Amino acid sequence: MRIVALAGGIGGARFLRGLRQVEPGAEVTAVVNTGDDITLHGLRVCPDLDTVMYTLGGGISAERGWGREDETFVVKEELAAYGVGPAWFGLGDRDLATHLVRTQMLDAGYPLSQVTTALCDRWQPGVRLLPMTDDRVETHVVADVPARDGRPAGRQALHFQEWWIRYGAKLPAERIVGVEAEKSTPAPGVLEAIAEADVVLLPPSNPVVSIGTILAIPGIREALRSARAPVVGVSPIIGGAPVRGMADACLAAVGVEVSAEAVGRHYGARRGPDGTGSEAADGLLDAWLVDCRDEGATVPGVEVVSRDLLMPDLPSAAALAGAALEVARALR
Amino acid sequence: MRIVALAGGIGGARFLRGLRQVEPGAEVTAVVNTGDDITLHGLRVCPDLDTVMYTLGGGISAERGWGREDETFVVKEELAAYGVGPAWFGLGDRDLATHLVRTQMLDAGYPLSQVTTALCDRWQPGVRLLPMTDDRVETHVVADVPARDGRPAGRQALHFQEWWIRYGAKLPAERIVGVEAEKSTPAPGVLEAIAEADVVLLPPSNPVVSIGTILAIPGIREALRSARAPVVGVSPIIGGAPVRGMADACLAAVGVEVSAEAVGRHYGARRGPDGTGSEAADGLLDAWLVDCRDEGATVPGVEVVSRDLLMPDLPSAAALAGAALEVARALR
């Protein structure tokens, strides 16, 4: 069975680990958000790709959910002693080696997709990791920013990481933009994997800055809409709140209510009421998994199924992935 | 008093620390060899500049004499786990932060001399550190190299660091070349500092790959020869052997015997027998300090003075620097 999953960081990574466990024989392709990528100290950092790679490769910090287990922060300390920031980014020493290898390969001319394959030689994640694009697309957030680093206060576009980490997503976002997304193309293999998939999954990643950014790459939304496979999404919102992260702050920026139903409606139905693609439908979903406490949510044209969506550990993540596959099979 | 000292790594750094101690009011400019510089993992590493900066700034590893005290090697371990070498270079985590800051500034267009000044903002070495040049000059060693890293054996030009560290300078060097030295120019301030100096010192650094490389930058040798200040050198060879490092292997490559006398003659006299610059003299020295056990060494046209040259600690380094200044004062 060929499965494609779009993925952000922690939520996507844990879902994928469950998926690999419940369906070990499947060929899984993860199309990973790279809009969070940032260049720090001259190093190219790809937080979501690394979170997925470390999680599936057994190197993730269990406690934090991002970065490496047994991490040290000596280099960051030293950079601070030089007065070199940013202080708000948690750049670990082990993690830094990944960025060094990646940056050197990128500088040598390899595209990010090939660099990712090379890094995965070490980590053996057991799924194929593809960046959404080999082009540089960076998510920026327009917000009223207080005075900082000698710059005056005012409406500014911040790199997503600064908004997310430094300001804890607490500055109300007027807009969230995938800079250069409209000029980018999907990484090699992305559209083919979607076209050839037996199942397409949208894990409970952030619908705006993870899944939404992937969908902003020209061609990916269309590929999902025309895929022969059913598309099954899993709500990242349970009982009116994000399970983790600060998806509520992102949803506010796109005018979507923080509820499983509203996010399902935001993704929308792939087929019209007659069961075929029609003008009435321009969405992505065939089915939408919501948590038991959100039972009764409806998304026109989409089969809404309620299950336990919490995945505090591997068995529950595997059960959730299994439930998504079961729903997908019933749709085929 | 304005003092200029040419310097390599450990020997030069310890001598400079002694000089600062014995003559705290002096304006000292250290012109530092950058021929050992190497790009590793995309980072620009300047071993001699860093050894001098860390030694004078209180950050040096007392045990090793290079690199940082309390150093860790987590990044190096991780790079090895990715299969990324070289394994023979001891890249510490603390040290790496220096290379990150330097590389980012170089990439932003700052010349190495300005980058060095910026790094010294943190370390406050108490002397002005100038790279010999802002241009990229790299010392390479031509030698018969055994098969390695999938490459066949044969006569090859190795980066100095690989020859020095990986092969422990044990591959007989046919030639030692400062690649691109002939096209380089001295860093801003180098020639002016030499012209305005009251004393010029050649500390007991490697006469071939440290001092010799500095002298290969067009204009520096001429500046020393025409300086109004006396030029006093300190022998790095004691009793027929280098005090530290592997200067013997380097001297062999330039056909100079491993003795204090031979190295003094290799540098040569700045003045002819009549006490003025003449065709008979094309060297650099006015005086040459040799160790007590090398008493009796002669260098035509040069005042040879014997003193205790070992500097196992700061007081002995200060005494040696004081002796060199005393000899210089007697010459003025």
Side-chain angles (χ1 to χ4, degrees), chain B residues 29-256:
Chain B
T29 299
V31 176
V32 183
N33 170 44
T34 56
D36 299 11
D37 295 6
I38 188 168
T39 299
L40 285 174
H41 315 294
L43 302 176
R44 193 70 183 155
V45 180
C46 301
D48 284 356
L49 277 171
D50 288 349
T51 295
V52 174
M53 181 173 77
Y54 296 155
T55 299
L56 296 175
I60 200 79
S61 160
E63 190 193 327
R64 290 194 305 272
W66 55 267
R68 298 285 311 279
E69 192 75 345
D70 297 321
E71 188 57 291
T72 56
F73 292 88
V74 170
V75 175
K76 183 176 155 75
E77 242 175 58
E78 288 290 326
L79 290 169
Y82 278 114
V84 172
W88 47 264
F89 197 88
L91 186 65
D93 300 326
R94 291 189 192 284
D95 198 27
L96 193 141
T98 302
H99 312 323
L100 273 175
V101 177
R102 175 188 292 122
T103 303
Q104 205 178 356
M105 287 190 72
L106 290 171
D107 286 350
Y110 293 94
L112 182 60
S113 50
Q114 287 185 34
V115 173
T116 302
T117 302
L119 293 171
C120 286
D121 263 0
R122 170 181 177 193
W123 292 103
Q124 296 293 321
V127 312
R128 182 165 64 136
L129 293 196
L130 292 179
M132 62 187 193
T133 177
D134 278 335
D135 300 321
R136 184 161 166 164
V137 172
E138 276 185 4
T139 305
H140 282 66
V141 179
V142 179
D144 284 322
V145 183
R148 73 199 197 288
D149 310 334
R151 281 175 286 182
R155 176 142 303 193
Q156 289 163 38
L158 290 178
H159 190 287
F160 170 75
Q161 294 289 352
E162 186 168 9
W163 180 72
W164 188 256
I165 301 176
R166 184 177 192 174
Y167 295 108
K170 287 194 172 56
L171 303 176
E174 191 221 335
R175 266 188 312 145
I176 298 179
V177 187
V179 178
E180 306 271 276
E182 72 285 0
K183 295 185 198 159
S184 69
T185 54
V190 168
L191 298 183
E192 295 77 358
I194 294 170
E196 293 162 10
D198 300 305
V199 177
V200 175
L201 300 173
L202 307 189
S205 291
N206 189 307
V208 182
V209 295
S210 296
I211 307 289
T213 306
I214 299 172
L215 296 173
I217 307 304
I220 293 187
R221 169 181 282 276
E222 295 67 23
L224 287 180
R225 282 192 44 74
S226 62
R228 63 177 178 78
V231 178
V232 177
V234 179
S235 174
I237 305 292
I238 296 182
V243 180
R244 74 182 59 74
M246 300 163 280
D248 43 347
C250 302
L251 287 167
V254 294
V256 174

Side-chain angles (χ1 to χ4, degrees), chain A residues 41-43 53-54 68 72 74-75 77-79 81-82 84 93-94 96-98 100-101 104 119 122-123, chain B residues 41-43 53 68 72 74-75 77-79 81-82 84 93-94 96-98 100-101 104 119 122-123:
Chain A
H41 315 293
L43 302 176
M53 182 173 78
Y54 294 155
R68 297 285 311 280
T72 55
V74 170
V75 175
E77 240 174 61
E78 288 291 325
L79 289 169
Y82 277 114
V84 173
D93 300 326
R94 293 191 190 282
L96 193 142
T98 302
L100 274 174
V101 177
Q104 208 179 355
L119 294 171
R122 170 181 177 194
W123 291 102
Chain B
H41 315 294
L43 302 176
M53 181 173 77
R68 298 285 311 279
T72 56
V74 170
V75 175
E77 242 175 58
E78 288 290 326
L79 290 169
Y82 278 114
V84 172
D93 300 326
R94 291 189 192 284
L96 193 141
T98 302
L100 273 175
V101 177
Q104 205 178 356
L119 293 171
R122 170 181 177 193
W123 292 103

Side-chain angles (χ1 to χ4, degrees), chain B residues 254-314:
Chain B
V254 294
V256 174
E257 188 193 304
V258 183
S259 74
E261 179 171 290
V263 173
R265 289 171 181 244
H266 173 64
Y267 285 141
R270 201 158 74 120
R271 314 270 172 215
D274 58 353
T276 63
S278 76
E279 283 185 23
D282 63 353
L284 299 169
L285 298 175
D286 295 306
W288 183 233
L289 268 66
V290 301
D291 192 69
C292 303
R293 77 198 75 173
D294 295 308
E295 206 168 346
T298 60
V299 181
V302 173
E303 184 175 343
V304 178
V305 179
S306 66
R307 292 283 186 280
D308 180 6
L309 297 194
L310 286 174
M311 35 176 195
D313 51 26
L314 179 55

Side-chain angles (χ1 to χ4, degrees), chain A residues 274-286:
Chain A
D274 57 353
T276 63
S278 75
E279 285 185 23
D282 64 352
L284 299 169
L285 299 174
D286 295 307

